[in-house]
């Protein structure tokens, strides 16, 4: 991030910002909706949070990295676990969330709803 040195605090929070799909910004580029980070009494940087739809794409990409392959290549049990994790993280409250997840898993919307309903019935 230009304009902000690699201070220990910045280095410590950057993995979290990356994990949520945020963007570190210099303070002079911070907008009204950005989150300003303070360390030892001084404002040091700002974080621009992603739009919800972008967050879902970021979460899906992180899950692919964690599994080491495309989510569509997972077996049924692993896909069901992915759906459980995504539901817990609020993925299906995002507009077109079911469609986005179904596409990433290589299954139909109906299958995703079945996975969700199976959880509620278990």
């Amino acid at each position: 991030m230009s304009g902000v040195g690699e201070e220990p605090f910045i280095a410590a929070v950057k993995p979290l910002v990356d994990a949520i799909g945020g963007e570190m910004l210099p303070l002079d580029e911070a907008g009204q909706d950005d989150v300003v980070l303070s360390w030892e009494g001084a404002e040091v940087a700002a974080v621009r949070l992603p739009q919800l739809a972008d967050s879902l794409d970021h979460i899906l990409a992180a899950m692919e990295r964690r599994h080491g392959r495309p989510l569509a290549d997972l077996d049924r049990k692993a896909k069901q676990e992915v759906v459980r994790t995504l539901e817990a993280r609020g993925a299906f409250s995002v507009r077109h969330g079911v469609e986005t997840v179904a596409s990433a898993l290589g299954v139909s919307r109906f299958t995703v709803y079945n996975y969700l309903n199976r959880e509620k019935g278990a």
Side-chain angles (χ1 to χ4, degrees), residues 55-82:
S55 293
L56 180 53
D57 290 338
H58 194 79
I59 291 167
L60 289 167
M63 293 184 91
E64 282 192 346
R65 284 191 302 277
R66 189 175 312 129
H67 285 281
R69 59 185 169 187
L71 297 177
D73 293 347
L74 300 176
D75 64 24
R76 182 173 53 84
K77 184 175 181 181
K79 288 179 182 181
Q80 289 172 334
E81 181 61 34
V82 165

Side-chain angles (χ1 to χ4, degrees), residues 10-11 13-24 47 50 58-59 62 65:
I10 299 299
V13 298
K14 185 151 179 21
L16 174 62
V17 172
D18 291 344
I20 63 169
E23 178 185 0
M24 298 286 294
V47 175
H58 194 79
I59 291 167
R65 284 191 302 277

Side-chain angles (χ1 to χ4, degrees), residues 2 5 10 19 21-22 24 38 40-41 44 51 61 67 76-77 81 88-92 101 104 108-111 113:
S2 64
I10 299 299
M24 298 286 294
S38 297
E40 296 180 346
V44 293
Q51 298 296 313
H67 285 281
R76 182 173 53 84
K77 184 175 181 181
E81 181 61 34
R89 293 188 70 179
F92 303 111
V101 170
S108 68
R109 289 175 34 230
F110 180 75
T111 298
Y113 284 119

